[in-house]
Amino acid sequence: MEIVILDSAAAVGAHAGSRIAALVERTPDAVLGLATGSSPLGVYADLATRAAAGVDFSRVRGFALDEYVGIPLEHPESYASVIHRDVIEPLGLDPARVRVPDGRAADLRRACDDYEAAIVAAGGVDLQILGIGVNGHIGFNEPTSSLASRTRIKTLAPETREANARFFADPDDVPTHCVTQGLGTIMDAREIVLVAQGAAKAAAIAAIVEGPVSSMWPGSILQHHPRVHVVLDEAAAGDLRLSDYYRYTFDFKPSWQRDPV
Ligand code: GLP
């Protein structure tokens, strides 16, 4: 894992945004894996600035990680609405090229299988954007999720419903179930950029970066991925034991990469 520790949440968004924009400039129809939640909002804001400055996102294809089960599509907190509001519109994506799992299908299991097939048909995800839950979940893969799981129905953990209650008028309105890409699905992405900001994420970050790989901290499976970038502000990096080493590694340029004097 490449661990990048930056001095502000804004810098986290800009760093992740520059990596994503570089991919889109190289590959205009790149497939992006799109995360919801507050963590990636700075990344999308950075990308929106780049879109306004001329980076063309109109051919980018996208697959969202997850969706609540049973929530009306037009509900402002359905992930379909959130992706539309926070990603499709500000970046100028083509809505026809962006898919969100269907949480209202009559046959949810089949809809999950179709979603997996659609990702494969698109050629797989080039770059997956991730946030992380306080319990280490990625997507909605809650603790004890199979490390090999595919897109499926999950029950939300109590701490996740509590964390997401801020988006709903009444805590009881938070859905109890979701459909989410599995950990196996996420691991198939060719590159992964995970962003986290704030002290509330410090324990989860330390567990997934420096702890053992365990389904109790689902994000720890990323230790098995060859191209993961974990981009953190100082507070989210607060519990890392080896933070000085990560800083040194990130700042270090071997002699052959240094600018000539
Ligand atoms: C949400 C999403 C995740 C997200 C996580 C953290 O409920 N399903 O994709 O990474 O929980 O959310 P936030 O970024 O708002 O802290």
Side-chain angles (χ1 to χ4, degrees):
M1 289 169 140
E2 180 196 47
I3 314 298
V4 180
I5 303 171
L6 301 169
D7 57 11
S8 69
V12 169
H15 182 86
S18 71
R19 187 171 278 281
I20 297 161
L23 166 68
V24 171
E25 289 191 305
R26 276 196 315 274
T27 313
D29 64 345
V31 179
L32 295 184
L34 303 170
T36 49
S38 49
S39 306
L41 289 178
V43 182
Y44 299 137
D46 177 83
L47 293 176
T49 306
R50 293 173 197 272
V55 180
D56 181 10
F57 289 89
S58 65
R59 291 177 57 205
V60 163
R61 295 167 291 161
F63 288 91
L65 279 172
D66 44 18
E67 177 61 287
Y68 293 114
V69 165
I71 197 170
L73 212 54
E74 59 284 1
H75 189 292
E77 295 308 327
S78 77
Y79 283 171
S81 296
V82 171
I83 290 285
H84 213 274
R85 193 168 60 232
D86 294 342
V87 189
I88 293 176
E89 283 184 358
L91 273 63
L93 264 53
D94 174 357
R97 289 170 176 253
V98 179
R99 277 188 70 160
V100 179
D102 184 354
R104 291 181 58 81
D107 186 343
L108 276 177
R109 278 168 206 261
R110 185 169 179 168
C112 291
D113 291 346
D114 290 349
Y115 201 70
E116 286 278 328
I119 295 173
V120 172
V125 169
D126 291 307
L127 187 149
Q128 176 67 56
I129 303 163
L130 289 178
I132 186 161
V134 288
N135 62 4
H137 76 215
I138 52 176
F140 269 137
N141 292 283
E142 301 286 27
T144 74
S145 287
S146 160
L147 298 178
S149 48
R150 312 302 306 189
T151 303
R152 69 210 183 292
I153 308 159
K154 280 295 286 181
T155 308
L156 295 177
E159 59 267 30
T160 300
R161 292 191 69 229
E162 205 176 296
N164 288 7
R166 67 190 194 277
F167 298 116
F168 293 84
D170 185 323
D172 288 341
D173 293 346
V174 184
T176 53
H177 291 76
C178 64
V179 286
T180 180
Q181 287 188 30
L183 295 172
T185 321
I186 292 169
M187 287 291 286
D188 284 346
R190 284 183 271 280
E191 183 171 8
I192 295 179
V193 176
L194 184 148
V195 292
Q197 310 89 352
K201 300 295 172 67
I205 289 296
I208 71 155
V209 171
E210 296 179 341
V213 174
S214 160
S215 66
M216 282 304 286
W217 291 98
S220 63
I221 188 63
L222 299 176
Q223 293 177 31
H224 280 290
H225 194 286
R227 283 187 84 195
V228 181
H229 316 276
V230 179
V231 189
L232 309 168
D233 68 359
E234 293 285 351
D239 286 0
L240 289 169
R241 285 181 48 218
L242 302 183
S243 56
D244 288 346
Y245 170 70
Y246 307 134
R247 273 183 247 271
Y248 169 78
T249 311
F250 182 61
D251 289 339
F252 178 74
K253 266 192 182 176
S255 57
W256 60 90
Q257 285 181 7
R258 285 185 204 139
D259 295 332
V261 282

